[in-house]
Amino acid sequence: MDKIKTILIGCGDRTCVYAEEGVHGLGLMEVVAAIDPDPVRLGYVCERFGIGRENCFTSQGEVLKRGKIADCAINGTMDQFHLQTAMPFLEQGYDMLLEKPIVNNKEDLLEIYRAARAHGCKLMTCHVLRYAPFYRKIKELILKGELGEIVNIRTDERVGAFHSSVSYIRGKWSRQSECGSSLLLAKCCHDLDLLCWL
């Protein structure tokens, strides 16, 4: 089977985690290009995934000029950039793994949805907790009816002191006006997804 050719859009932690699993964990992906405005992050992913320097870009426009050079893209940009970074690649027919939350408003969500449909793209988001053995078991028990009628579900999001202070007090998600997403959307969308799924 040919490896899935992939572009990395935004080379932060989440993008690298998914690429690491696809390339080094499963051996099913090949990263052919990367985009990030930070030369340090870009250098890291180029070295880690064996991308030639000619395929490492500081802006998406440089890649888009080449047309469709891969099967899919992993988009791990900050929440407020998802629409502007996703749309051009969807319009070129790229399937996309888009870090959660997809966007922070209904209008942008529908725009991305329509673009994916119009261009026949698979658009996925990273609600990884659905695949954790613990939650899969709960879902199985619910479907079998072993827990009876479900009338209430309680979830707690334990963000943790370090993560909260680094990301949500002093970090990139410290202000909704800057990152585009509230704490509830940025962090607790996993909980909201699980509640709907279960």
Side-chain angles (χ1 to χ4, degrees):
M1 180 174 130
D2 291 336
K3 291 189 176 182
I4 300 165
K5 290 184 173 23
T6 308
I7 292 177
L8 306 182
I9 307 170
C11 299
D13 180 64
R14 297 295 173 164
T15 303
C16 290
V17 165
Y18 301 131
E20 193 71 42
E21 180 63 20
V23 173
H24 300 297
L26 300 170
L28 298 175
M29 279 178 24
E30 174 189 358
V31 177
V32 298
I35 308 160
D36 198 286
D38 182 344
V40 174
R41 292 302 307 169
L42 197 55
Y44 168 78
V45 297
C46 289
E47 184 177 318
R48 181 70 183 132
F49 300 110
I51 308 166
R53 292 307 265 171
E54 70 281 3
N55 291 319
C56 296
F57 305 94
T58 55
S59 75
Q60 67 184 28
E62 300 169 71
V63 178
L64 291 165
K65 287 179 194 172
R66 293 185 174 191
K68 191 173 181 207
I69 61 169
D71 304 306
C72 67
I74 299 174
N75 187 337
T77 57
M78 288 293 295
D79 303 355
Q80 72 271 30
F81 301 123
H82 284 184
L83 181 68
Q84 72 192 55
T85 56
M87 289 296 290
F89 288 94
L90 293 171
E91 289 166 355
Q92 284 194 353
Y94 283 88
D95 293 334
M96 184 174 292
L97 179 63
L98 183 55
E99 176 57 19
K100 56 83 186 160
I102 293 174
V103 288
N104 58 21
N105 65 78
K106 184 178 178 180
E107 295 77 24
D108 290 352
L109 180 64
L110 291 173
E111 189 173 344
I112 285 178
Y113 170 75
R114 285 191 288 267
R117 295 269 315 227
H119 298 282
C121 303
K122 293 180 185 124
L123 180 64
M124 300 155 280
T125 192
C126 307
H127 286 296
V128 296
L129 293 181
R130 287 187 183 197
Y131 303 96
F134 174 80
Y135 289 113
R136 291 180 77 136
K137 186 64 176 179
I138 292 172
K139 176 75 170 183
E140 176 189 325
L141 293 172
I142 290 172
L143 290 175
K144 286 182 178 177
E146 292 187 24
L147 300 178
E149 180 185 2
I150 306 299
V151 294
N152 184 25
I153 298 176
R154 176 183 169 180
T155 69
D156 294 307
E157 181 64 62
R158 309 252 186 245
V159 176
F162 176 78
H163 188 38
S164 180
S165 65
V166 170
S167 297
Y168 300 103
I169 296 172
R170 293 186 294 270
K172 295 177 183 176
W173 289 271
S174 62
R175 288 191 313 277
Q176 185 173 345
S177 60
E178 185 176 324
C179 81
S181 298
S182 66
L183 178 62
L184 180 66
L185 184 61
K187 191 64 187 165
C188 300
C189 62
H190 284 302
D191 303 271
L192 298 172
D193 176 64
L194 285 172
L195 286 169
C196 293
W197 182 62
L198 293 174

